[in-house]
Amino acid sequence: MTRINVAVAGASGYAGGEVLRLLLGHPDVTIGALTGGSNAGENFGRLQPHLVPLADRTLEATTPEVLAGHDVVFLGLPHGASAEVAAALGDDVVVIDCGADFRLTDPAAWERFYGSPHAGSWPYGMPELAAQRGQLRGAKRIAVPGCYPTVSTLTAAPAVAAGLVEPNLVVVAASGTSGAGKAAKTNLLGSEVMGNASAYGVGGVHRHTPEIIQNLNLLTEEKVRVSFTPLLVPMPRGILATVTGKLTGPLSTDEAYEVYSQAYADEPFVTVLPQGMWPQTKSVLGSNSVHLQVAVDEEAGQLIAVGAVDNLAKGTGGAAVQCMNLALGLDESAGLTTIGLAP
Amino acid sequence: MTRINVAVAGASGYAGGEVLRLLLGHPDVTIGALTGGSNAGENFGRLQPHLVPLADRTLEATTPEVLAGHDVVFLGLPHGASAEVAAALGDDVVVIDCGADFRLTDPAAWERFYGSPHAGSWPYGMPELAAQRGQLRGAKRIAVPGCYPTVSTLTAAPAVAAGLVEPNLVVVAASGTSGAGKAAKTNLLGSEVMGNASAYGVGGVHRHTPEIIQNLNLLTEEKVRVSFTPLLVPMPRGILATVTGKLTGPLSTDEAYEVYSQAYADEPFVTVLPQGMWPQTKSVLGSNSVHLQVAVDEEAGQLIAVGAVDNLAKGTGGAAVQCMNLALGLDESAGLTTIGLAP
Amino acid sequence: MTRINVAVAGASGYAGGEVLRLLLGHPDVTIGALTGGSNAGENFGRLQPHLVPLADRTLEATTPEVLAGHDVVFLGLPHGASAEVAAALGDDVVVIDCGADFRLTDPAAWERFYGSPHAGSWPYGMPELAAQRGQLRGAKRIAVPGCYPTVSTLTAAPAVAAGLVEPNLVVVAASGTSGAGKAAKTNLLGSEVMGNASAYGVGGVHRHTPEIIQNLNLLTEEKVRVSFTPLLVPMPRGILATVTGKLTGPLSTDEAYEVYSQAYADEPFVTVLPQGMWPQTKSVLGSNSVHLQVAVDEEAGQLIAVGAVDNLAKGTGGAAVQCMNLALGLDESAGLTTIGLAP
Amino acid sequence: MTRINVAVAGASGYAGGEVLRLLLGHPDVTIGALTGGSNAGENFGRLQPHLVPLADRTLEATTPEVLAGHDVVFLGLPHGASAEVAAALGDDVVVIDCGADFRLTDPAAWERFYGSPHAGSWPYGMPELAAQRGQLRGAKRIAVPGCYPTVSTLTAAPAVAAGLVEPNLVVVAASGTSGAGKAAKTNLLGSEVMGNASAYGVGGVHRHTPEIIQNLNLLTEEKVRVSFTPLLVPMPRGILATVTGKLTGPLSTDEAYEVYSQAYADEPFVTVLPQGMWPQTKSVLGSNSVHLQVAVDEEAGQLIAVGAVDNLAKGTGGAAVQCMNLALGLDESAGLTTIGLAP
């Protein structure tokens, strides 16, 4: 087949770098323009030294001219910047946005959490959720889900869809630091984060909260409420999400496990672990896998599900490539792996 | 005053080592016998090289003869071993057990979680909880709380005591690895835990669950239920606990903050951080401090409180020394600090 | 072509797991028997949860019967165990030993460092070294180099071969913990290694020392001497080696850089970084790459070269797969990547 | 006695924070002004949350007026800023500079490495080195040594002073990240440094190189040369330095050990570990200790000494407090400990 010519805008950041890491292993892709902002003009090998085959490239400026002529353009841009770049690209170009701009369908939710006008919404890049896969096939514009919403949604979904729990969930998710991006900030220095666990964005103020709720509302007629608490833990990659929900009736762990196993039986990238074995982020490092497990605490009257993803892989770049595959009618798994890098 | 002669049984482990680290800075204490099990006879400097002043000591066997003649004996022993050792010590000796054996008052709870006969219960070494401080003054036997129960209880207590939340809590606590002890296990190898977050003991099966419930039941007439999910995160020390509870009525974050501030206004080792600033374990590293913060999520209808402790310090050895101080009528803070080691 | 049927003995360890991680991405390989020692009979998914496609396999016992009938057998066994297993396999089977047994050619060196009789030597699996690549083509028995020797040799080789330095080198190499294996040991616990850098095996006693010397002696007529000091640093994977050698004459950094660049110009897996950019292990995480840089310190009269590898990938499993490719006449890079997993 | 009133300029940084952490435990000190630059006016509790007793303080501007009236002023300022601040303080005030400005005695060395005019030199705050202790007693201006020079010098000194090695040393030192300071930089982000070891400043260009040479030149009549290679490893604190030097004659490890033991027999903060036990940074975490060990590699003809310090404690803030004690005629160990925080 003709090779697909792909550009990445924001190629020097973590999302862009991860998209490129995966595309370099994709059988059908040729890497076209690599663009960036303040460091445009620099040697790409110095910016992303792990991407050896691109070491001789130069980062170009993110302009319509540079991005023109590609079949697919991935955007790894700061919030608010995607709409203008996308508008300059033709309708025949597949544009896959790793940022938040087009994820939320509700303008009010967008404005409350982001404080800026709503740019609109695009097909949502989570094939495993309800009817999303169908909408991604042939799509020309795709919004890649946030990292926390990816794992939180997929960890909660079977219980919510099957009505095992009341739609009032407690999600606590421990994340590595790369989710916070590559911009230099004192609180993200290695000296600060190593040996340290902290909470942030507590009390319903984290911007990924409405996205989780939006996703779960597709699965039940009841109005879903979510208390979402993100934690920062000392590792570069990975999110471990715990979802706790009050049982709606008697339920055993075996029964819950069966619901989860059935829910994802046909999903290539979701693994419900052997019963009694709990997810760890290291098992999904660099992979497109989601690892899940569930238990019922009869004393507490709660169901607890735990999920692990690599925030940069399945949580961002892997989902982006998976969406490209669907959009172009390729094998959904092309260029992706279920195998993590451990230990 | 006469110096207090102190022995530590289990001195080569993490709990024993931490008790000794603190006692070496205690103005009134002389370190007596250091005892252990399989490595008795070894040079102590090779076992705990950070405790330089004890480098020339030898680890002795844990026998009644070796432990005799001390004013205070700290026990850092495997579960089930404390009762026999304590029985051999006179009633005038202060025995402070860092293990679990005498924490639970309910024999049924003990047997369900530990699977062995209940040894009984001792005064519970959490001075900040309800009327415990009074019972610790002059006590001859003290059970030091578990690390998770310490931070979980103190993080939840003001909300439970004031009836701000329904007594059906979700506790998710991220812990460093030293809480799992110094025995060699493959899943605790550095290669396994670095770069990794995992869940374990999910579904109400962790042994610290009944202890948290027992503590909170002292604060309300309603029956408390707790869903407790422990996470292992890649750091040697520290626990960050998140407590989420459904609001019993309208409440603002300001009001919740006021309740927390008042509850701990007189506690020397509990700091409710400036509003909006969230706890991090690094701030309490090596200290006897508990750092707390609280928020209300009105959309979700939940209160979220977060607490941080050093699991080995305030979570074990620091609490043990604090209890010794109370038992002997010393300044409760002697040998302890509120200052953490950061960065 | 016919698919190659491959067995891995020691499949539950780190070396075996890494070989399998790579083989699962190899276009020509079918995974046959997975064998182990004490945990034979266990579900493989519980032993290596990151290897999702093998989750339903069972670890078998390491016996001649189980290993029979494969085209290639990889050995990831404790020292001393490989000879017997290899002897039971036919001469037509390609046997690739990730252990040390067949690396050293000098029986005296073997006996001095390992304290057991010398089993012999096999073609040495470092294609980048002198004439080794030719000897690996079509080989039926291959000894995979040690992780420290891999990076130390390739970092020192151009300077030694070109006579830029006196053959009396100082090698200090900082390693992640996985090089020490998966057996549970107290000093390798996460609690011990996180936040900690330590030295070990200092003074010429580390077993990899004679292997480094053996390699460098292929490059010069002078007798090479090496002071090798290994450091353990808190990361699961990666080795960063610094090689310092006294200059034999006037030399600029530019000249040294040119020598290094030329030496590896045709090597697919060795990258001399852009001048002035120093290696970091993260750039080679999970990849088969070696990253190098060199500088001359005129004041000190020394040349300093620095190299980075992933000890499990190019340092063990990646080299093993590279050797298999050479032995079977496949593309040397099949199943391997130069791209690291960062951040 | 009258309490000593102490100010800290640069109190929001890592050096200033560490000085304060130690001063808060000093029996004779009252903490006066806390000053800073861009964040002057902020609540100190938000800047250094681990320093609980100072939580209600406000960071003031670094002006002569604010710093006036203290007995001792510690400076933790960017390079080049100390001279002006010190000049504005009276000659009766003890000024202790944690920065580099007054460490080097040779203007040419200063200008070559720092590229700015030489401000002069002050008594050098390494009491363990040659005759320095005497010069620190009663001193009014003290330059605290750099972190790398502290451990490199003390690790090399006995071998150099006793002529065991040729004065042409190879120093490779692995450091935690806090030595690089608290200013936000992309390459110091947790995402970059965790799971990563890297080299930097290779080839004689690191600014601490001339300071190490200056120190060792006090110990021998020969001209000392040092190849210094710093490594960054993933931990917040600690430096592990390896010093390798060519033997000047036959020497056994026992003999070298005896030389080291004798050299530091009277030093309160230097511990030569039991023979065969190698230093680890964790054992000195937060302490003022230096841990050392030495071995002879007869095959290689080299002596290898290894030392560990906490770069912020003995490497900066601890040395600063030790110097204050000497300057004021206090117990040299006041407010300091030999005990590290492990695990």
Side-chain angles (χ1 to χ4, degrees), chain A residues 191 194 196-197 280-282, chain B residues 191 194 196-197 280-282:
Chain A
S191 302
M194 289 187 285
N196 198 13
Q280 59 177 13
T281 59
K282 181 167 280 201
Chain B
S191 302
M194 289 188 285
N196 198 12
Q280 58 176 14
T281 60
K282 180 167 283 203

Side-chain angles (χ1 to χ4, degrees), chain C residues 11 21 54 56 72 81 94 104 116 139 143 156 196 207 231 252 293:
Chain C
R21 185 180 73 81
L54 302 174
D56 294 332
V72 180
V94 174
L104 296 184
S116 59
N196 198 11
R207 290 172 166 180
L231 312 179
S252 70
Q293 187 57 277

